[in-house]
Amino acid sequence: MTEIEPGTPSHVAQQRQRASQLAQAVRSELQKAVIGQDIVIDDVLTALIAGGHVLLEGVPGLGKTLLVRALARCFGGEFARIQFTPDLMPSDVTGHAVYDLQTEQFKLRKGPLFTNLLLADEINRAPAKTQAALLEAMQERQVTLEGRALPIAQPFMVLATQNPIEQEGTYPLPEAELDRFMLKVRMDYPDAEQERDMVRQVTRSTRADMLDVQPLRTVLQAKDVLALQRIASDLPLDEQVLDYAIRLARATRSWPGLTLGAGPRASIALVRCARARALLRGGEFVVPDDIKGCALAVLRHRVRIAPQLDIEGLEVDQVLGQMLDQVLAPRI
């Protein structure tokens, strides 16, 4: 049997197939622990493959933290968790200089930010100053400590959670930070059958009121994530599909009912997420449905609904849904 030369179409196709199978294996593992949240799992994996960060929003008890812990269990890289509280300081996140009595010099003690997978739990409970400690790391993949720029190991992904209904003792995330999150994913209640399965599994578990993530297999290593990201970024993308992503982002800037539109970072996120989705479903190229499928999660935190629609009880997803129905997708 002749060997396939690297770089040939057959070799590239085999790489894509293996990458897709690996991503689907991670999805299967996550579905064992997080029941009734298949769309959310796909969104989180999309962001992982696209090299972005995720803001997870949902009422307590839906499994936001469980999902991140399950992903950490399936991932062989480093994982850190920060519980955001009102008294959390920026140095608690990034690290700080410590005076060493033996050497009589200051040493840098790195904070939990120096990891591959970071869970920022209840991020809106910390003041803006502490939230801002994440900005440089999320955008530039480095942290400046005592005037020194220290790189963060790759891959690096922040998964932040927040509760949308609790307002007391919380600090809304500033627009600049919201824009750093590639996706804002909303976790909703599971349907009746899925909730029945969940209750059945949890009540068999020895872990009080939560599912155990220990049985999950470690499927991904850090180098595998980097390979998935590289393979996804090379997926073919027709100019018409690229134009569709840009038209969607630009439409938000003049759409009736929206007072703030999405910036160019949204167009970039749409394309990167669409490539990741295409790889996740095992596609050989990006189709318009890949763009449309991730549009809500990419755009919902980058736009602002008009006050009068907010008073009428309309939500941003409904306005964006109308826009997605009316902006014509190319036929490929």
Side-chain angles (χ1 to χ4, degrees), residues 211-288:
L211 283 164
D212 194 359
V213 298
Q214 292 303 316
L216 300 186
R217 292 184 301 125
T218 301
V219 183
L220 277 179
Q221 298 298 330
K223 61 180 177 60
D224 298 325
V225 177
L226 294 174
L228 286 175
Q229 292 174 352
R230 179 180 51 78
I231 292 165
S233 67
D234 288 336
L235 274 177
L237 178 81
D238 191 90
E239 280 297 313
Q240 292 180 63
V241 180
L242 177 71
D243 181 61
Y244 177 52
I246 295 166
R247 283 191 291 116
L248 282 178
R250 292 183 67 85
T252 62
R253 300 168 202 170
S254 56
W255 198 259
L258 295 178
T259 57
L260 177 72
R265 198 177 272 144
S267 309
I268 295 165
L270 280 169
V271 172
R272 284 168 61 191
C273 286
R275 281 192 159 117
R277 275 189 177 256
L279 184 72
L280 191 56
R281 67 173 170 80
E284 294 179 8
F285 53 87
V286 181
V287 299

Side-chain angles (χ1 to χ4, degrees), residues 285-308:
F285 53 87
V286 181
V287 299
D289 277 351
D290 293 322
I291 299 275
K292 198 170 183 179
C294 60
L296 273 181
V298 168
L299 296 173
R300 61 164 61 106
H301 59 299
R302 291 184 163 98
V303 300
R304 192 176 293 158
I305 195 169
Q308 61 269 27

